[in-house]
Amino acid sequence: MDLTALPLRAAAARPHVLLVTTPGGTATRLAAERRLRLQDLPRARTPAEADVLLVAGPECRGLRPAIDRLWQSLPAPRARARAATPAALPDALARCRAELAAPPGRRHAGRRHEDRAGGGPDAGFDDAESVGSGDGRDERDGHDEDSGGGHGGHCSGADHGSHGGSEPPWGLPMAGQGADRDGLMLDQLHVPLGPFLADWPDGLTARLTLQGDVVQRLRFAWPPVGGRPTAARPPFWGEPWARAAAGERVDVGEGARRRAAAHADSLGRLLAVAGWTRAATTARRLRDDLLDGASSAELRPGVRRFARRVGRSRTLYWLTRGTGVLTAEAARDAGVTGPAARADGDVPARYRTWLAALARDVDRLADRSPLDPAEEGPRGGATDGPWPSAALVRVLPGLLEGAELAAARLVVASLDPDPDELAAAPREVGA
Protein backbone atom coordinates (compact mmCIF):
# COMPACT_ATOMS: atom_id res chain seq x y z
CA MET A 1 0.00 0.00 0.00
CA ASP A 2 1.51 3.29 -1.13
CA LEU A 3 0.94 5.78 1.67
CA THR A 4 2.58 8.62 -0.23
CA ALA A 5 0.55 8.51 -3.46
CA LEU A 6 -2.53 10.31 -2.12
CA PRO A 7 -0.64 13.24 -0.52
CA LEU A 8 1.45 13.61 -3.68
CA ARG A 9 -1.66 13.74 -5.85
CA ALA A 10 -3.23 16.30 -3.52
CA ALA A 11 -0.12 18.51 -3.65
CA ALA A 12 -0.01 18.23 -7.44
CA ALA A 13 -3.69 19.10 -7.78
CA ARG A 14 -3.43 22.33 -5.79
CA PRO A 15 0.22 23.26 -5.25
CA HIS A 16 1.28 26.38 -3.39
CA VAL A 17 3.20 28.51 -5.88
CA LEU A 18 6.01 30.88 -4.96
CA LEU A 19 6.10 33.39 -7.83
CA VAL A 20 9.21 35.49 -8.36
CA THR A 21 9.81 37.90 -11.23
CA THR A 22 13.00 38.90 -12.97
CA PRO A 23 13.43 42.39 -14.48
CA GLY A 24 11.60 42.59 -17.77
CA GLY A 25 9.07 39.97 -16.66
CA THR A 26 6.10 42.17 -15.71
CA ALA A 27 3.86 40.88 -18.52
CA THR A 28 4.62 37.28 -17.51
CA ARG A 29 4.04 38.07 -13.83
CA LEU A 30 0.64 39.58 -14.56
CA ALA A 31 -0.36 36.58 -16.67
CA ALA A 32 0.86 34.21 -13.94
CA GLU A 33 -1.04 36.02 -11.18
CA ARG A 34 -4.20 35.93 -13.26
CA ARG A 35 -3.80 32.23 -14.09
CA LEU A 36 -3.14 31.29 -10.46
CA ARG A 37 -6.20 33.24 -9.34
CA LEU A 38 -8.51 31.75 -11.99
CA GLN A 39 -7.27 28.22 -11.27
CA ASP A 40 -7.59 28.78 -7.51
CA LEU A 41 -3.93 27.90 -6.93
CA PRO A 42 -2.75 29.38 -3.61
CA ARG A 43 0.19 31.79 -3.60
CA ALA A 44 3.02 31.03 -1.18
CA ARG A 45 4.56 34.00 0.61
CA THR A 46 7.69 32.16 1.81
CA PRO A 47 9.78 29.27 0.49
CA ALA A 48 8.74 27.09 3.44
CA GLU A 49 5.10 27.28 2.28
CA ALA A 50 5.79 26.51 -1.37
CA ASP A 51 5.51 23.38 -3.47
CA VAL A 52 6.44 25.14 -6.73
CA LEU A 53 8.97 27.86 -7.48
CA LEU A 54 7.80 29.67 -10.61
CA VAL A 55 10.22 32.21 -12.09
CA ALA A 56 8.49 34.69 -14.40
CA GLY A 57 10.54 36.63 -16.91
CA PRO A 58 13.82 36.41 -18.80
CA GLU A 59 17.00 35.04 -17.32
CA CYS A 60 18.99 37.48 -15.18
CA ARG A 61 22.41 36.20 -14.17
CA GLY A 62 22.70 38.76 -11.38
CA LEU A 63 19.68 37.17 -9.64
CA ARG A 64 20.59 33.53 -10.19
CA PRO A 65 22.15 33.07 -6.72
CA ALA A 66 19.07 34.47 -4.96
CA ILE A 67 16.75 32.27 -7.01
CA ASP A 68 18.91 29.24 -6.27
CA ARG A 69 18.81 30.06 -2.55
CA LEU A 70 15.01 30.21 -2.73
CA TRP A 71 14.94 26.84 -4.45
CA GLN A 72 17.14 25.24 -1.81
CA SER A 73 14.73 26.52 0.87
CA LEU A 74 11.67 24.75 -0.59
CA PRO A 75 10.74 21.55 1.26
CA ALA A 76 10.39 18.30 -0.69
CA PRO A 77 8.50 17.33 -2.75
CA ARG A 78 9.10 20.39 -4.85
CA ALA A 79 9.22 21.50 -8.46
CA ARG A 80 10.63 24.47 -10.28
CA ALA A 81 10.08 26.11 -13.67
CA ARG A 82 10.82 29.30 -15.55
CA ALA A 83 8.32 30.96 -17.87
CA ALA A 84 10.10 33.64 -19.87
CA THR A 85 6.89 34.64 -21.66
CA PRO A 86 3.15 34.42 -20.85
CA ALA A 87 2.75 31.75 -23.53
CA ALA A 88 5.11 29.45 -21.61
CA LEU A 89 3.05 29.49 -18.39
CA PRO A 90 0.59 26.62 -19.06
CA ASP A 91 3.33 24.16 -19.96
CA ALA A 92 5.55 25.28 -17.05
CA LEU A 93 2.77 24.74 -14.49
CA ALA A 94 1.76 21.41 -16.07
CA ARG A 95 5.33 20.11 -15.85
CA CYS A 96 5.57 21.15 -12.21
CA ARG A 97 2.33 19.35 -11.34
CA ALA A 98 3.52 16.23 -13.12
CA GLU A 99 6.81 16.39 -11.20
CA LEU A 100 4.99 16.69 -7.87
CA ALA A 101 2.66 13.79 -8.65
CA ALA A 102 5.47 11.43 -9.69
CA PRO A 103 6.40 8.62 -7.27
CA PRO A 104 9.63 9.33 -5.34
CA GLY A 105 11.55 6.75 -7.34
CA ARG A 106 10.66 8.42 -10.63
CA ARG A 107 10.97 12.03 -9.51
CA HIS A 108 13.99 13.95 -10.74
CA ALA A 109 14.98 15.57 -7.44
CA GLY A 110 15.95 19.17 -7.89
CA ARG A 111 15.33 19.18 -11.66
CA ARG A 112 14.78 22.66 -13.07
CA HIS A 113 12.25 23.07 -15.84
CA GLU A 114 12.99 25.88 -18.25
CA ASP A 115 10.99 26.87 -21.29
CA ARG A 116 12.96 27.28 -24.50
CA ALA A 117 12.67 31.06 -24.40
CA GLY A 118 14.06 31.17 -20.88
CA GLY A 119 17.55 29.88 -21.51
CA GLY A 120 19.35 27.17 -19.58
CA PRO A 121 18.83 26.11 -15.98
CA ASP A 122 19.93 28.57 -13.36
CA ALA A 123 21.37 26.09 -10.89
CA GLY A 124 24.74 25.53 -9.26
CA PHE A 125 25.70 29.14 -8.59
CA ASP A 126 27.14 30.92 -5.60
CA ASP A 127 25.11 31.42 -2.46
CA ALA A 128 22.21 33.88 -2.65
CA GLU A 129 22.62 37.47 -1.67
CA SER A 130 19.37 37.63 0.27
CA VAL A 131 15.97 36.02 0.45
CA GLY A 132 12.78 37.74 1.54
CA SER A 133 10.20 36.51 4.00
CA GLY A 134 6.52 37.16 4.64
CA ASP A 135 3.93 35.37 6.70
CA GLY A 136 0.74 33.40 6.21
CA ARG A 137 0.27 30.42 3.90
CA ASP A 138 -3.29 31.21 2.96
CA GLU A 139 -4.92 34.57 2.29
CA ARG A 140 -7.30 34.86 5.23
CA ASP A 141 -8.94 38.25 5.12
CA GLY A 142 -9.76 38.93 8.74
CA HIS A 143 -10.86 42.54 8.07
CA ASP A 144 -14.24 44.18 7.73
CA GLU A 145 -15.22 46.35 4.77
CA ASP A 146 -13.58 49.42 6.26
CA SER A 147 -10.43 47.77 7.52
CA GLY A 148 -6.88 48.42 6.51
CA GLY A 149 -5.60 45.61 8.72
CA GLY A 150 -2.27 45.31 10.48
CA HIS A 151 0.93 45.49 8.52
CA GLY A 152 3.50 44.23 10.93
CA GLY A 153 3.33 40.59 9.82
CA HIS A 154 4.51 41.31 6.29
CA CYS A 155 7.57 43.24 7.36
CA SER A 156 9.67 40.56 9.02
CA GLY A 157 13.37 40.85 8.52
CA ALA A 158 13.94 37.15 9.28
CA ASP A 159 15.16 34.57 6.79
CA HIS A 160 16.80 37.06 4.47
CA GLY A 161 20.08 35.17 4.19
CA SER A 162 23.46 36.81 3.89
CA HIS A 163 23.83 40.51 3.27
CA GLY A 164 27.14 40.93 1.52
CA GLY A 165 30.75 40.87 2.63
CA SER A 166 31.69 37.90 4.80
CA GLU A 167 29.07 35.32 5.65
CA PRO A 168 27.80 35.71 9.23
CA PRO A 169 27.76 32.61 11.48
CA TRP A 170 25.08 30.09 10.43
CA GLY A 171 23.76 32.65 7.91
CA LEU A 172 22.39 34.84 10.70
CA PRO A 173 23.09 38.59 10.88
CA MET A 174 24.83 39.55 14.12
CA ALA A 175 24.14 42.66 16.14
CA GLY A 176 26.82 45.29 16.64
CA GLN A 177 26.68 48.56 18.50
CA GLY A 178 26.29 52.14 17.36
CA ALA A 179 25.02 55.47 18.57
CA ASP A 180 21.37 56.21 17.95
CA ARG A 181 20.03 59.68 17.14
CA ASP A 182 20.08 60.58 20.83
CA GLY A 183 23.76 59.62 21.20
CA LEU A 184 23.05 56.38 23.13
CA MET A 185 24.99 53.23 22.31
CA LEU A 186 22.46 50.63 21.21
CA ASP A 187 22.65 47.31 19.39
CA GLN A 188 22.57 47.56 15.61
CA LEU A 189 21.33 44.80 13.34
CA HIS A 190 22.12 44.73 9.62
CA VAL A 191 19.17 43.28 7.71
CA PRO A 192 18.65 42.97 3.95
CA LEU A 193 15.18 43.16 2.41
CA GLY A 194 14.86 41.54 -1.01
CA PRO A 195 15.69 40.84 -3.73
CA PHE A 196 12.61 38.61 -3.55
CA LEU A 197 10.06 39.49 -0.92
CA ALA A 198 6.27 39.35 -1.10
CA ASP A 199 4.84 42.59 -2.53
CA TRP A 200 8.29 44.13 -2.94
CA PRO A 201 9.98 45.41 -6.15
CA ASP A 202 11.53 42.17 -7.41
CA GLY A 203 15.29 42.30 -7.79
CA LEU A 204 15.81 45.32 -5.53
CA THR A 205 17.78 44.79 -2.31
CA ALA A 206 17.64 47.23 0.59
CA ARG A 207 20.39 46.89 3.20
CA LEU A 208 19.07 48.25 6.47
CA THR A 209 20.80 49.11 9.73
CA LEU A 210 18.22 48.70 12.49
CA GLN A 211 18.24 49.73 16.13
CA GLY A 212 15.28 47.95 17.60
CA ASP A 213 12.67 48.19 14.84
CA VAL A 214 13.80 51.66 13.70
CA VAL A 215 15.68 52.12 10.43
CA GLN A 216 18.89 54.06 11.12
CA ARG A 217 20.48 53.77 7.69
CA LEU A 218 19.78 52.00 4.44
CA ARG A 219 21.27 51.55 1.04
CA PHE A 220 19.72 50.12 -2.10
CA ALA A 221 21.56 47.68 -4.35
CA TRP A 222 20.49 46.67 -7.84
CA PRO A 223 21.88 43.38 -9.17
CA PRO A 224 23.90 43.28 -12.39
CA VAL A 225 21.78 42.33 -15.34
CA GLY A 226 24.64 40.37 -16.92
CA GLY A 227 25.01 39.14 -20.51
CA ARG A 228 22.30 40.48 -22.73
CA PRO A 229 20.20 43.37 -21.40
CA THR A 230 17.20 42.13 -19.43
CA ALA A 231 15.04 45.11 -20.38
CA ALA A 232 15.79 45.18 -24.12
CA ARG A 233 12.14 46.10 -24.74
CA PRO A 234 10.53 49.16 -23.15
CA PRO A 235 9.20 48.60 -19.62
CA PHE A 236 5.73 47.05 -19.78
CA TRP A 237 3.88 49.87 -18.03
CA GLY A 238 5.55 52.60 -20.11
CA GLU A 239 5.31 50.79 -23.44
CA PRO A 240 2.55 52.97 -25.03
CA TRP A 241 4.56 56.14 -24.35
CA ALA A 242 7.76 54.58 -25.71
CA ARG A 243 5.93 53.56 -28.89
CA ALA A 244 4.42 57.01 -29.28
CA ALA A 245 7.86 58.58 -28.81
CA ALA A 246 9.16 56.32 -31.61
CA GLY A 247 6.55 57.79 -33.98
CA GLU A 248 3.90 55.06 -33.78
CA ARG A 249 0.26 56.07 -33.64
CA VAL A 250 -1.02 55.27 -30.13
CA ASP A 251 -4.46 56.24 -28.84
CA VAL A 252 -4.95 58.21 -25.64
CA GLY A 253 -7.31 55.45 -24.52
CA GLU A 254 -4.55 52.86 -24.77
CA GLY A 255 -2.27 54.97 -22.58
CA ALA A 256 -5.11 55.57 -20.10
CA ARG A 257 -5.82 51.82 -19.92
CA ARG A 258 -2.18 50.94 -19.26
CA ARG A 259 -1.79 53.72 -16.67
CA ALA A 260 -5.01 52.72 -14.87
CA ALA A 261 -3.92 49.08 -14.78
CA ALA A 262 -0.53 50.13 -13.37
CA HIS A 263 -2.21 52.14 -10.61
CA ALA A 264 -4.50 49.21 -9.77
CA ASP A 265 -1.43 46.94 -9.61
CA SER A 266 0.34 49.38 -7.27
CA LEU A 267 -2.76 49.69 -5.08
CA GLY A 268 -3.00 45.90 -4.85
CA ARG A 269 0.61 45.74 -3.65
CA LEU A 270 0.14 48.51 -1.06
CA LEU A 271 -3.09 47.00 0.28
CA ALA A 272 -1.46 43.57 0.55
CA VAL A 273 1.43 45.03 2.56
CA ALA A 274 -1.11 46.77 4.79
CA GLY A 275 -2.83 43.42 5.37
CA TRP A 276 -6.14 44.25 3.64
CA THR A 277 -6.25 41.14 1.47
CA ARG A 278 -9.81 41.49 0.19
CA ALA A 279 -9.24 44.98 -1.15
CA ALA A 280 -5.89 43.91 -2.65
CA THR A 281 -7.65 41.10 -4.53
CA THR A 282 -10.27 43.55 -5.80
CA ALA A 283 -7.56 45.89 -7.08
CA ARG A 284 -5.87 43.03 -8.94
CA ARG A 285 -9.13 41.90 -10.50
CA LEU A 286 -9.75 45.43 -11.74
CA ARG A 287 -6.19 45.46 -13.14
CA ASP A 288 -6.81 42.21 -15.00
CA ASP A 289 -10.13 43.46 -16.37
CA LEU A 290 -8.42 46.60 -17.66
CA LEU A 291 -5.70 44.59 -19.38
CA ASP A 292 -8.32 42.24 -20.84
CA GLY A 293 -9.98 45.17 -22.62
CA ALA A 294 -13.10 45.78 -20.49
CA SER A 295 -15.01 48.93 -21.43
CA SER A 296 -15.50 52.05 -19.34
CA ALA A 297 -19.16 51.15 -18.79
CA GLU A 298 -18.21 47.72 -17.47
CA LEU A 299 -15.46 49.01 -15.19
CA ARG A 300 -16.88 52.28 -13.90
CA PRO A 301 -19.22 50.96 -11.14
CA GLY A 302 -16.62 48.63 -9.65
CA VAL A 303 -13.84 51.22 -9.82
CA ARG A 304 -15.93 53.89 -8.13
CA ARG A 305 -17.06 51.50 -5.41
CA PHE A 306 -13.46 50.39 -4.83
CA ALA A 307 -12.17 53.98 -4.75
CA ARG A 308 -14.80 55.01 -2.21
CA ARG A 309 -14.16 52.05 0.07
CA VAL A 310 -10.37 52.38 0.08
CA GLY A 311 -10.22 56.18 -0.01
CA ARG A 312 -12.62 56.52 2.91
CA SER A 313 -11.20 53.72 5.05
CA ARG A 314 -10.48 55.23 8.44
CA THR A 315 -8.47 52.20 9.55
CA LEU A 316 -6.16 52.32 6.52
CA TYR A 317 -5.72 56.07 6.97
CA TRP A 318 -4.84 55.80 10.65
CA LEU A 319 -2.37 53.00 9.94
CA THR A 320 -0.51 55.00 7.29
CA ARG A 321 -0.94 58.68 8.09
CA GLY A 322 2.19 60.75 8.60
CA THR A 323 4.51 58.08 7.11
CA GLY A 324 6.90 58.76 4.25
CA VAL A 325 6.08 62.44 3.80
CA LEU A 326 7.37 63.65 0.41
CA THR A 327 6.57 67.28 -0.30
CA ALA A 328 6.14 68.57 -3.83
CA GLU A 329 9.25 70.72 -3.39
CA ALA A 330 11.39 67.80 -2.19
CA ALA A 331 10.06 65.65 -5.03
CA ARG A 332 10.97 68.30 -7.59
CA ASP A 333 14.48 68.64 -6.15
CA ALA A 334 14.96 64.86 -6.34
CA GLY A 335 13.64 64.60 -9.90
CA VAL A 336 10.49 62.74 -8.85
CA THR A 337 7.50 63.31 -11.11
CA GLY A 338 4.06 61.80 -11.55
CA PRO A 339 1.62 60.76 -8.81
CA ALA A 340 4.28 60.77 -6.07
CA ALA A 341 5.08 64.42 -6.76
CA ARG A 342 1.46 65.51 -7.23
CA ALA A 343 0.39 63.86 -3.97
CA ASP A 344 2.57 66.31 -2.00
CA GLY A 345 2.29 64.37 1.25
CA ASP A 346 2.33 61.03 3.04
CA VAL A 347 1.27 57.47 2.19
CA PRO A 348 -2.51 58.25 2.31
CA ALA A 349 -1.98 61.21 -0.02
CA ARG A 350 -0.24 58.93 -2.51
CA TYR A 351 -2.79 56.09 -2.52
CA ARG A 352 -5.63 58.61 -2.83
CA THR A 353 -3.83 60.17 -5.79
CA TRP A 354 -3.69 56.70 -7.40
CA LEU A 355 -7.40 56.17 -6.73
CA ALA A 356 -8.35 59.51 -8.33
CA ALA A 357 -6.14 58.84 -11.36
CA LEU A 358 -7.61 55.34 -11.73
CA ALA A 359 -11.16 56.72 -11.82
CA ARG A 360 -10.21 59.45 -14.33
CA ASP A 361 -8.45 57.06 -16.68
CA VAL A 362 -11.33 54.58 -16.69
CA ASP A 363 -13.47 57.38 -18.14
CA ARG A 364 -10.94 57.91 -20.97
CA LEU A 365 -10.64 54.38 -22.33
CA ALA A 366 -12.59 55.17 -25.53
CA ASP A 367 -10.52 58.28 -26.40
CA ARG A 368 -9.07 57.71 -29.89
CA SER A 369 -7.04 60.91 -30.15
CA PRO A 370 -3.25 60.46 -30.52
CA LEU A 371 -1.23 60.00 -27.34
CA ASP A 372 1.32 62.74 -26.65
CA PRO A 373 4.63 61.07 -25.67
CA ALA A 374 5.17 63.88 -23.16
CA GLU A 375 1.97 62.93 -21.30
CA GLU A 376 2.62 61.50 -17.87
CA GLY A 377 3.06 57.74 -17.59
CA PRO A 378 2.12 55.63 -14.57
CA ARG A 379 5.13 56.82 -12.55
CA GLY A 380 5.60 60.14 -14.32
CA GLY A 381 8.60 61.31 -16.26
CA ALA A 382 9.42 61.30 -19.95
CA THR A 383 10.69 58.32 -21.91
CA ASP A 384 13.67 60.18 -23.38
CA GLY A 385 15.55 60.35 -20.07
CA PRO A 386 16.04 57.98 -17.13
CA TRP A 387 12.89 56.11 -16.31
CA PRO A 388 11.09 57.77 -13.36
CA SER A 389 11.44 54.80 -11.01
CA ALA A 390 15.15 55.56 -10.62
CA ALA A 391 14.23 58.87 -8.95
CA LEU A 392 11.72 57.07 -6.71
CA VAL A 393 14.49 54.80 -5.40
CA ARG A 394 16.89 57.70 -4.90
CA VAL A 395 14.40 59.53 -2.70
CA LEU A 396 13.54 56.51 -0.53
CA PRO A 397 16.50 56.58 1.92
CA GLY A 398 15.56 60.06 3.12
CA LEU A 399 11.97 58.92 3.68
CA LEU A 400 12.83 55.67 5.46
CA GLU A 401 15.61 56.66 7.86
CA GLY A 402 14.07 56.99 11.31
CA ALA A 403 10.94 55.04 10.31
CA GLU A 404 9.79 51.78 11.89
CA LEU A 405 10.45 48.71 9.77
CA ALA A 406 6.74 48.00 9.22
CA ALA A 407 6.17 51.58 8.10
CA ALA A 408 9.16 51.34 5.77
CA ARG A 409 7.48 48.54 3.83
CA LEU A 410 4.40 50.71 3.40
CA VAL A 411 6.46 53.69 2.20
CA VAL A 412 8.18 51.57 -0.45
CA ALA A 413 4.82 50.18 -1.60
CA SER A 414 3.31 53.68 -1.77
CA LEU A 415 6.03 54.77 -4.23
CA ASP A 416 6.20 51.35 -5.95
CA PRO A 417 9.27 51.71 -8.21
CA ASP A 418 8.95 49.55 -11.31
CA PRO A 419 11.59 46.77 -11.60
CA ASP A 420 11.46 46.98 -15.40
CA GLU A 421 12.28 50.70 -15.27
CA LEU A 422 15.04 50.09 -12.73
CA ALA A 423 16.59 47.53 -15.06
CA ALA A 424 16.53 50.16 -17.82
CA ALA A 425 18.56 52.53 -15.59
CA PRO A 426 20.70 50.28 -13.32
CA ARG A 427 23.48 52.85 -12.93
CA GLU A 428 21.00 55.46 -11.79
CA VAL A 429 19.74 53.12 -9.08
CA GLY A 430 23.16 51.90 -8.03
CA ALA A 431 24.35 55.45 -7.51
Side-chain angles (χ1 to χ4, degrees):
M1 178 177 175
D2 188 354
L3 299 178
T4 63
L6 185 59
L8 289 176
R9 285 198 299 269
R14 197 166 182 265
H16 285 70
V17 180
L18 181 63
L19 177 64
V20 301
T21 310
T22 57
T26 296
T28 309
R29 170 182 68 84
L30 296 171
E33 288 182 357
R34 185 177 188 275
R35 177 171 290 273
L36 294 177
R37 177 171 59 81
L38 293 178
Q39 294 185 355
D40 193 29
L41 296 180
R43 292 278 302 275
R45 297 190 66 86
T46 67
E49 302 166 359
D51 305 303
V52 170
L53 174 61
L54 179 60
V55 183
E59 185 177 359
C60 176
R61 289 206 299 267
L63 291 173
R64 280 177 175 179
I67 294 173
D68 202 48
R69 176 69 168 266
L70 282 173
W71 169 247
Q72 293 169 11
S73 301
L74 263 67
R78 58 185 182 174
R80 170 179 178 176
R82 174 190 299 280
T85 63
L89 282 167
D91 188 49
L93 286 171
R95 289 197 307 263
C96 286
R97 284 175 149 176
E99 182 77 9
L100 290 173
R106 298 179 58 188
R107 187 180 303 120
H108 298 278
R111 183 174 66 184
R112 279 79 167 167
H113 296 301
E114 304 285 340
D115 71 277
R116 290 194 180 114
D122 45 5
F125 304 103
D126 295 334
D127 207 6
E129 180 146 314
S130 55
V131 175
S133 173
D135 66 340
R137 175 163 184 152
D138 54 9
E139 290 193 349
R140 298 182 293 273
D141 186 33
H143 303 298
D144 58 24
E145 285 236 333
D146 189 39
S147 172
H151 55 271
H154 292 193
C155 305
S156 170
D159 194 27
H160 291 293
S162 65
H163 49 85
S166 59
E167 181 75 16
W170 303 289
L172 299 175
M174 303 298 290
Q177 281 195 333
D180 74 348
R181 290 174 295 173
D182 297 323
L184 302 175
M185 293 299 293
L186 299 176
D187 284 345
Q188 291 182 331
L189 185 64
H190 302 281
V191 177
L193 293 180
F196 298 114
L197 176 66
D199 301 304
W200 176 267
D202 283 308
L204 188 66
T205 301
R207 306 189 186 285
L208 285 70
T209 300
L210 300 177
Q211 288 183 318
D213 63 347
V214 176
V215 178
Q216 294 296 314
R217 288 186 301 276
L218 84 158
R219 177 174 60 87
F220 284 100
W222 185 247
V225 175
R228 56 188 175 85
T230 306
R233 299 182 59 184
F236 176 82
W237 296 120
E239 184 182 7
W241 289 267
R243 287 164 42 212
E248 184 179 339
R249 162 75 188 225
V250 180
D251 293 341
V252 166
E254 183 179 350
R257 183 179 296 277
R258 190 66 62 94
R259 184 170 48 227
H263 291 333
D265 186 55
S266 296
L267 284 161
R269 191 168 295 110
L270 173 66
L271 292 166
V273 172
W276 196 358
T277 307
R278 185 181 302 172
T281 300
T282 300
R284 287 160 176 163
R285 285 175 175 165
L286 291 172
R287 174 202 67 193
D288 293 343
D289 291 343
L290 279 158
L291 294 175
D292 286 344
S295 67
S296 295
E298 293 170 320
L299 289 164
R300 194 175 290 116
V303 167
R304 290 180 176 175
R305 186 164 55 249
F306 170 76
R308 283 196 304 270
R309 186 168 69 150
V310 174
R312 296 177 182 177
S313 171
R314 292 184 297 273
T315 307
L316 183 61
Y317 172 75
W318 279 89
L319 282 171
T320 58
R321 64 173 185 157
T323 57
V325 176
L326 178 64
T327 65
E329 181 180 2
R332 183 178 63 251
D333 293 342
V336 174
T337 57
R342 290 201 317 276
D344 188 21
D346 56 3
V347 170
R350 289 194 284 276
Y351 70 68
R352 286 170 175 168
T353 300
W354 279 337
L355 291 168
L358 171 62
R360 283 196 308 270
D361 279 332
V362 164
D363 290 334
R364 303 175 65 197
L365 300 182
D367 191 337
R368 295 293 173 257
S369 57
L371 177 67
D372 182 355
E375 182 180 318
E376 182 181 282
R379 290 164 176 84
T383 58
D384 56 354
W387 289 95
S389 289
L392 294 176
V393 172
R394 286 198 306 268
V395 81
L396 272 171
L399 301 182
L400 299 183
E401 290 174 1
E404 294 182 357
L405 181 57
R409 285 291 317 272
L410 286 166
V411 173
V412 173
S414 72
L415 291 174
D416 197 27
D418 179 12
D420 289 4
E421 292 186 358
L422 298 179
R427 293 181 182 175
E428 287 280 329
V429 178

